[in-house]
Amino acid sequence: MSIFSRNKDNLPDFLKKLTAYEVTLSDRVESDNPVSKPVYDYLNMVRELVITARSGSFRIATVMAQMQNLVNTTGSMADSQLALSEELKRDGDSVANESASVSDNARQIAQVSTTNLDTAEKSLKEISLVREKMESMSKQMVSFAEQVEQLYNRAQSIEKIGQLITDISQQTNLLALNAAIEAARAGEAGRGFAVVADEVRNLAERVSSATGEIAGHTSEMISLVDKTRSQNKVIVADTNQTASSLSSTADNFTHFVQDFRDLNVRVEQIASAIVHVSDTNQNMQHKIDSISSMSKDVKRSMAQASDFSTELRARTEVLQGELAHFRTGKTVFDDLSDATKRLRDRTRDILMEAYKKQGLNVFDQKYQYIPNSNPERFTTSYDNYVERALTEIYDSTVKELDGCVYALAVDNKGYAPAHNSKFSKKPSGNPDIDIASCRHKRIFSDPVGIKLAKNTEPFLFQSYIRDTGEVINDLSIPIFIDGKHWGAVRVGIDSRKLSA
């Protein structure tokens, strides 16, 4: 309600006419010729002020809609930033704890690695000593094998000598036997020779007996020496193989110790790097804490900016509501206001006829979900009966009003039983397409839609960024059916038209 219409009874006649919605300021002045020229000039000045104020309010509303969108977007980004910073802080704390643990473990590993390296180097020295002793033993075994071989050859020589002695003993025994026979033939003269022959034969037998024992022992000795020689060959072969394996093991262990030295150096480098990472992470944690604190401040600031923006937007809408009572003539807003009123009247007539004559419950709000609709769409008990007629008057409004983007009616919960033809296409199944081309039978529950749906003041002018991206100036007028608030008609016009 305007400042004039609140105390209309106390106004002069020309100002009473000024508050009438159907007549422009210029028409009122021209039709009341008795008004003096100063008043005429004053009213013209008021008209210019109203036009200027209204134009400025349009620009402010458009900028506020854009700013509100930016504030909301920035606020969402601030929320995300805060959430990310807090998550980063938690991750940083976890990394700090892990890095501290890893740092301790790395130091312990470095210490163990150093100890193991010392042990490995000592083991390498011991293996080297064993290797040297094994090589010396191998040489000694070779020398021993040569001596055994010589012993074997000497034993065989002894055996041959024993055989020779045996042969000589047998010949001696045979000669003694012949000498005894010859002595017996000689009689008394050969008795002394016979005694000598017996002694020689006894000596030959003793020699033969001793030679037999020597031969037996020599044979056993040769057998033992032969076994010793065979076993010594195996021992020499095993010793050589062991020495070779030990040499290879010593070489491999040398490489192992060298790798261990390199590994120890790297472990120390890793331990040092982890300590550096831990220190760096602590510094990073301080920065993350600062970022988190700043994000909270930004969030609070954006919340305040959003509150200021919302308040300024609300005050701008109040100002526009007051200015809407002034008719200045020959402006885009007057055309918008006239078109919205006509749409209100025609929509009310269609709904009233359905309510009164056809007995339809146009206040039905038991919205039935249309299956597989995305975005969600609904139907009611009356929408199919009024949809066609409503679409025709909606399209007519869009066609006759320059810059008009949409024209429709919604109930007091934001439900649109119909929409313009260009926004009432059949669903394609692609939400990105359907959100722009399939808008009929939807519930517009956004802040702008809900506010105009519940508004009962004569005018409500809002500016916002549509979900399809463009900045829209929305003028809405409430609809009453049989004295009961049904909802509102809303007409959206390109903000550039009103700003111009």
Side-chain angles (χ1 to χ4, degrees):
M1 185 176 293
S2 73
I3 54 176
F4 291 147
S5 57
R6 293 192 186 101
N7 300 295
K8 187 182 296 185
D9 295 337
N10 298 325
L11 296 177
D13 290 340
F14 72 91
L15 288 181
K16 290 181 181 178
K17 294 181 179 180
L18 184 62
T19 62
Y21 296 131
E22 294 78 7
V23 186
T24 66
L25 278 172
S26 59
D27 289 339
R28 293 188 186 102
V29 173
E30 292 173 357
S31 60
D32 292 340
N33 286 329
V35 177
S36 63
K37 186 176 184 305
V39 173
Y40 176 82
D41 293 337
Y42 172 76
L43 292 179
N44 280 332
M45 181 179 66
V46 170
R47 180 177 183 275
E48 293 298 326
L49 288 175
V50 170
I51 292 175
T52 301
R54 182 180 290 159
S55 178
S57 70
F58 293 153
R59 286 192 291 271
I60 292 173
T62 300
V63 171
M64 286 306 305
Q66 294 172 332
M67 189 179 74
Q68 184 72 44
N69 185 65
L70 289 175
V71 167
N72 292 337
T73 302
T74 306
S76 299
M77 293 173 63
D79 291 340
S80 301
Q81 179 181 341
L82 178 59
L84 287 174
S85 65
E86 291 177 348
E87 183 177 351
L88 184 60
K89 186 177 184 300
R90 289 193 297 270
D91 293 341
D93 292 336
S94 177
V95 170
N97 295 331
E98 292 294 333
S99 63
S101 175
V102 171
S103 179
D104 292 338
N105 292 334
R107 282 193 291 269
Q108 294 177 4
I109 291 172
Q111 293 173 355
V112 171
S113 178
T114 301
T115 303
N116 290 339
L117 178 59
D118 294 338
T119 303
E121 289 179 340
K122 291 179 181 178
S123 299
L124 178 60
K125 291 179 181 179
E126 293 176 356
I127 289 176
S128 298
L129 293 175
V130 173
R131 178 183 183 180
E132 293 175 358
K133 291 180 180 181
M134 199 66 193
E135 290 176 349
S136 175
M137 180 180 175
S138 179
K139 292 177 182 179
Q140 292 176 0
M141 288 304 298
V142 171
S143 176
F144 178 71
E146 293 175 353
Q147 293 175 3
V148 170
E149 189 67 28
Q150 293 176 3
L151 179 61
Y152 179 75
N153 293 332
R154 297 288 177 85
Q156 285 184 334
S157 298
I158 293 172
E159 184 181 24
K160 291 178 181 179
I161 294 172
Q163 185 64 39
L164 179 59
I165 293 172
T166 299
D167 291 342
I168 294 172
S169 174
Q170 289 176 354
Q171 290 294 328
T172 302
N173 188 37
L174 184 59
L175 288 174
L177 180 61
N178 289 333
I181 293 172
E182 291 298 328
R185 287 180 180 176
E188 191 67 28
R191 186 179 300 274
F193 186 76
V195 173
V196 173
D198 287 339
E199 291 298 328
V200 170
R201 188 177 60 197
N202 290 334
L203 177 62
E205 288 177 354
R206 289 196 300 272
V207 169
S208 178
S209 176
T211 303
E213 291 180 3
I214 292 171
H217 292 312
T218 301
S219 178
E220 290 179 2
M221 183 180 69
I222 291 173
S223 177
L224 291 173
V225 171
D226 186 49
K227 289 182 179 179
T228 301
R229 186 181 65 169
S230 299
Q231 291 176 356
N232 188 69
K233 288 181 180 178
V234 175
I235 292 172
V236 169
D238 292 342
T239 302
N240 290 335
Q241 184 177 0
T242 301
S244 177
S245 298
L246 186 60
S247 178
S248 177
T249 301
D251 292 338
N252 292 335
F253 204 80
T254 300
H255 294 305
F256 169 73
V257 170
Q258 183 59 44
D259 292 341
F260 219 128
R261 291 192 187 102
D262 296 338
L263 178 62
N264 189 59
V265 172
R266 292 176 183 174
V267 167
E268 290 178 352
Q269 291 175 347
I270 291 172
S272 177
I274 290 175
V275 171
H276 179 68
V277 168
S278 180
D279 294 338
T280 303
N281 187 71
Q282 290 180 357
N283 294 332
M284 185 178 69
Q285 278 299 101
H286 294 310
K287 295 179 181 179
I288 291 174
D289 291 339
S290 297
I291 292 174
S292 179
S293 177
M294 292 171 62
S295 297
K296 292 178 180 178
D297 292 339
V298 169
K299 183 178 180 180
R300 285 192 294 268
S301 297
M302 292 310 302
Q304 292 177 353
S306 180
D307 292 340
F308 292 152
S309 177
T310 301
E311 182 181 358
L312 182 57
R313 182 175 179 176
R315 291 181 179 275
T316 303
E317 290 172 359
V318 171
L319 174 62
Q320 289 170 338
E322 294 291 343
L323 292 174
H325 292 281
F326 290 92
R327 302 301 306 278
T328 55
K330 300 178 181 179
T331 62
V332 176
F333 183 80
D334 288 318
D335 295 338
L336 173 61
S337 179
D338 292 339
T340 305
K341 289 177 183 178
R342 288 194 298 271
L343 179 62
R344 186 268 317 271
D345 295 340
R346 297 171 69 182
T347 301
R348 182 180 55 199
D349 292 343
I350 292 173
L351 294 175
M352 184 67 77
E353 181 180 1
Y355 181 62
K356 291 291 188 179
K357 295 183 179 180
Q358 300 182 25
L360 298 177
N361 181 15
V362 295
F363 294 98
D364 178 20
Q365 293 182 341
K366 296 179 181 179
Y367 310 117
Q368 302 296 317
Y369 173 68
I370 298 177
N372 302 321
S373 58
N374 186 14
E376 293 184 342
R377 298 167 55 241
F378 304 86
T379 186
T380 62
S381 60
Y382 69 91
D383 58 327
N384 289 331
Y385 295 94
V386 299
E387 181 178 5
R388 182 174 180 179
L390 290 176
T391 300
E392 288 180 356
I393 62 173
Y394 296 166
D395 290 346
S396 176
T397 300
V398 172
K399 185 176 180 180
E400 71 184 27
L401 182 61
D402 185 29
C404 184
V405 178
Y406 59 78
L408 72 156
V410 296
D411 69 10
N412 56 23
K413 288 188 177 181
Y415 173 69
H419 211 303
N420 302 117
S421 297
K422 63 179 179 179
F423 300 128
S424 303
K425 306 295 183 184
K426 290 184 178 180
S428 66
N430 185 343
D432 293 335
I433 296 176
D434 293 342
I435 196 172
S437 63
C438 190
R439 303 176 71 83
H440 60 306
K441 300 184 187 300
R442 284 177 55 186
I443 298 176
F444 296 96
S445 56
D446 57 285
V448 171
I450 288 296
K451 186 172 183 178
L452 68 89
K454 295 184 177 300
N455 176 59
T456 56
E457 293 294 323
F459 296 98
L460 178 61
F461 187 86
Q462 301 181 90
S463 298
Y464 69 100
I465 296 182
R466 203 176 180 206
D467 55 8
T468 51
E470 63 268 35
V471 179
I472 299 296
N473 293 135
D474 185 290
L475 179 63
S476 60
I477 299 178
I479 296 177
F480 293 89
I481 304 295
D482 202 19
K484 184 179 179 180
H485 181 220
W486 179 85
V489 292
R490 56 183 302 189
V491 177
I493 191 169
D494 189 333
S495 62
R496 292 171 295 182
K497 290 291 181 180
L498 288 180
S499 296

